[in-house]
Amino acid sequence: MFARSLAPGLSRFRNAASALALAGLAAAVPMNGARAADSRFELIGPDIKVMVTRNGQDLPISSVPSLAEGDTLRISAALPGDQGAHLMVVSAFLRGATNPPPREWIGVARTWKDKANEHSLNLTVPKGARQMVVLIVPETTGAQGTLVDAVRGKPGEFVRASQDLNQASLDHARLIAFINAINGDNATHPEDLQRMAPTLARSLSIKLNEECLTKVVDQQASCLVEDRDTLVLSDIHTNSLTDTLTGAPTTLALSLSTTQQGGAGLYSPYIGVVRDLAKLFGAFSNPQFNYLPTLSELKGETASLKLNSAPSFNKPKSVMVMAMPAIGADSPPQLRNPTKGPICAPGNALVLPVEGAPLVFATGFAHDMAVKVTATDGSTREYPLAPRADLGGYAVVADSLPPGATLTMHMHGRWGFDTFDGPDYVVQRPDGGAWSRAANATGPLVAGRDNEVILEGAAPGCVDDVSLRIGNSATGRSVTYRAIDATHLAVTVPLAEGETGEVRLDIHQQSLGTPANVTLRARAESSRIDSVDIRAGDSEAMITGQRLEQVVALTLGDVEFRPDGLVRDGRIDRLHLATSGNTRAGDAGTAAKAQIKLDDGRTQTVSIKIGPARPRIDLISRTVNAAPVPPGTRPLRFASDDLLPEDAELVFSVRAGANTVLASSDAIEVAPAGSQSGLRLTTAKGLMATDPTVLVATMRASDLPPASFGPLRYRLVKADGQLGAWQPLATLARLPRITGFACDSGGSLPCTLTGRNLFLLDAVGADGDFTRAATVQPGFTGSSLKVPRPADGALHLRLRDAPQAKVTLPAG
């Protein structure tokens, strides 16, 4: 019967709201005409006072997020003394959409009666009740019976009404808190809106129109609350209140807009619910009543009702529908501490930030909030807290805090009748103490990338800037940092440009003028070690990796290997190392730790396993076949066959070592010391087998790569790729061309040496000990030298390519 009477009120409310949520404010609700006026919840309805008692404790309705079985309620209408119309207050407990409540669950109070038990309701939440609604209706003959029949006949419609209007009132509270804060702050401090509005919107989960903050100061507040599609965002906790009713959350969105006097403090919130509210009471029809939804603004024990249509006291009379809190268990909000480290309190003003529960700022559900403060000496003290949505948390109400550089704090309070615990905090005061790199932080700063450095000091929560200076720079640049805990600060040091050398960090703390300093050193990225190859009995090693030019030594037990040639193959480095003297690696299969030392003092430890012995060949003999002496050039004499002139031929023979079998496909490589490639001798070029264990090799010095000189070495190369150890072979030397030698008469006068390429000489001596010698400067370009007179009939020459070789020039 109620369908026709409901349509002008609640149905209009739902239709306008749904259109707003889905199609936008401008298209759905024009700001002129009766329809817009009917959609606004701006009309002031009656005030309803509600007190709730649980286990002997009284709380006003504004502090009760949910009711429980056994709760006692005292409900009365707070009407003016000159109230002209008699209003009845009807309460109805519900127990689900398919389970009509008994008649005794529906109570009536006649507000015009003098007796207390008649003009107010004293109720106890019955066992099994899940929802509750309050209806305010003008006195009408038979109204009580009609309403009782309506509630019991279609309980599901009242369940939905309770659910939706309760949810809408909670979101409406957040909207009101936002608008009041914007207008209130703007009245005295309009310039603070840019700071306050984003924090306020975040606290209340409001979608902020940031374009408003780019306007001139006087226009910002009106813009923030003007007619636009700014939405009150979904709140997890308020949805959970709905879940307790039906298990299916209702999605609500409140759109913030204003009347044509935008910014003057008049607001028009519209409620959009995805579900079709036009069918909320669709099964009812009664020409006596027209149902009006209300929103409840809670303050203390008073619920001030807001209407979107003027109530009628003529038929069909208006029934105002007020939702009460859900009945059932409700979990306190999960307040979170958004900071990941300590909070700084330079003075006694302190705000503890929270997030995750907009209702703690918009309602009185969270009350008696306090913080337990533990000082450094272990003593504790309680301080009350005040919610500050504009500051994003709870302000500590205290004239002074306990002494100490670091305080720990625990937030707690009450959610309705229940106690609950909030987050923990670490609060610090600025401290002028020294800072250093954390004791457990290892490794240098690496150039070419961003480095995170962990610093240790007092009150990292009070650091308000960290600046970076490189080298002798007089100015620094701010870098990213974050407090990790009560004593550690993580600082990002950007070195993407490859800067190396001294790096200085200046740590600035709030209210302290002089920063603390930490000096570090940036180095090139260290060598990357991919593998280390050491074989049994070896005097050499091979490291594969990247940036191996930094390696200066590899130590394995008592054996030290030094770099002996670096080869780059694309992005891969291969560094050959060799021992000095006769020291060699241990037995095959031995596991050990090798220490690799870098040129900047850093070391790396690598686990290795000594591999099987390399294939080996040993030198039997060698012969140097000198080239004919060019005409006009004086011959030189060599004391041994280990000197190979650049124009000579070398013939040498080798024998297979233990556990080595030679094959016709094997080769011998000859290369200068420090080089990993050179001349390869094969059976097709310079190599001949005399028997299965002996090879004879023939080569010319000129076959080696250009600019080769100094010690030569050889190794066996097996067909399967195995490489023998490098072994010394001979010394390749470039020789000067001596064309003349003459001495002046008189025993002690010097002699003159003439020729070409005399810069290849290091010194010319009268004897083999070079006690009397003429030194040749590097880069000498002359064709004659003054040299001492020979003491034994020959000049002694020290070659630059082979300083140990004994070379003489006969004086005759």
Side-chain angles (χ1 to χ4, degrees), residues 642-723:
D642 64 350
L643 185 68
L644 177 64
E646 61 183 338
D647 54 1
E649 179 186 71
L650 175 65
V651 181
F652 63 97
S653 59
V654 295
R655 177 180 284 112
N659 302 319
T660 301
V661 177
L662 299 178
S664 60
S665 56
D666 293 343
I668 292 178
E669 279 187 345
V670 178
S675 174
Q676 297 298 305
S677 61
L679 172 64
R680 176 167 290 203
L681 302 173
T682 65
T683 54
K685 180 183 179 181
L687 199 61
M688 182 181 296
T690 61
D691 63 44
T693 63
V694 176
L695 296 174
V696 176
T698 302
M699 58 168 284
R700 298 194 63 81
S702 57
D703 293 335
L704 290 165
S708 296
F709 60 88
L712 299 178
R713 55 189 181 177
Y714 73 96
R715 68 179 175 184
L716 177 66
V717 180
K718 298 292 290 180
D720 61 2
Q722 292 189 73
L723 300 176

Side-chain angles (χ1 to χ4, degrees), residues 490-515:
V491 180
T492 299
V493 181
L495 298 174
E497 301 300 323
E499 304 96 326
T500 59
E502 188 174 280
V503 172
R504 175 171 159 172
L505 295 173
D506 294 332
I507 298 95
H508 303 261
Q509 287 189 312
Q510 297 181 34
S511 73
L512 298 180
T514 304

Side-chain angles (χ1 to χ4, degrees), residues 402-692:
T406 299
L407 305 173
T408 58
M409 299 189 178
H410 176 71
M411 182 183 292
H412 61 92
R414 300 184 69 85
W415 180 255
F417 289 97
D418 301 323
T419 60
F420 81 101
D421 289 308
D424 294 317
Y425 301 87
V426 174
V427 176
Q428 297 183 323
R429 292 183 173 90
D431 186 283
W435 284 78
S436 62
R437 193 168 188 183
N440 59 350
T442 59
L445 301 183
V446 178
R449 68 187 186 197
D450 291 347
N451 298 258
E452 184 174 80
V453 178
I454 307 300
L455 302 182
E456 189 171 19
C462 291
V463 173
D464 61 2
D465 184 64
V466 177
S467 57
L468 168 68
R469 286 192 283 170
I470 298 177
N472 296 323
S473 174
T475 59
R477 67 179 188 269
S478 294
V479 297
T480 303
Y481 65 93
R482 58 186 173 86
I484 300 176
D485 54 33
T487 57
H488 293 91
L489 189 74
V491 180
T492 299
V493 181
L495 298 174
E497 301 300 323
E499 304 96 326
T500 59
E502 188 174 280
V503 172
R504 175 171 159 172
L505 295 173
D506 294 332
I507 298 95
H508 303 261
Q509 287 189 312
Q510 297 181 34
S511 73
L512 298 180
T514 304
N517 311 118
V518 176
T519 300
L520 306 170
R521 180 165 293 277
R523 297 171 176 170
E525 188 171 5
S526 64
S527 301
R528 191 191 80 188
I529 308 300
D530 295 336
S531 64
V532 177
D533 184 17
I534 300 179
R535 303 297 185 90
D538 262 5
S539 60
E540 61 182 275
M542 179 70 74
I543 301 178
T544 303
Q546 290 184 345
R547 300 176 297 279
L548 299 184
E549 71 280 356
Q550 300 178 42
V551 176
V552 295
L554 182 152
T555 304
L556 183 65
D558 297 332
V559 182
E560 183 179 72
F561 298 83
R562 290 280 180 173
D564 189 38
L566 175 65
V567 174
R568 283 194 167 93
D569 182 8
R571 300 183 63 182
I572 301 300
D573 293 353
R574 292 184 176 86
L575 178 65
H576 182 265
L577 304 98
T579 65
S580 58
N582 296 320
T583 55
R584 296 182 181 276
D587 298 331
T590 303
K593 298 286 188 182
Q595 300 292 326
I596 298 176
K597 185 178 180 181
L598 306 183
D599 55 8
D600 59 6
R602 290 176 285 178
T603 60
Q604 297 186 34
T605 301
V606 181
S607 298
I608 67 167
K609 187 175 183 180
I610 298 178
R614 300 178 189 276
R616 183 179 179 87
I617 52 176
D618 296 313
L619 187 66
I620 301 174
S621 67
R622 65 189 165 204
T623 301
V624 175
N625 298 319
V629 178
T633 302
R634 301 188 63 168
L636 301 177
R637 293 177 181 176
F638 309 108
S640 65
D641 61 357
D642 64 350
L643 185 68
L644 177 64
E646 61 183 338
D647 54 1
E649 179 186 71
L650 175 65
V651 181
F652 63 97
S653 59
V654 295
R655 177 180 284 112
N659 302 319
T660 301
V661 177
L662 299 178
S664 60
S665 56
D666 293 343
I668 292 178
E669 279 187 345
V670 178
S675 174
Q676 297 298 305
S677 61
L679 172 64
R680 176 167 290 203
L681 302 173
T682 65
T683 54
K685 180 183 179 181
L687 199 61
M688 182 181 296
T690 61
D691 63 44

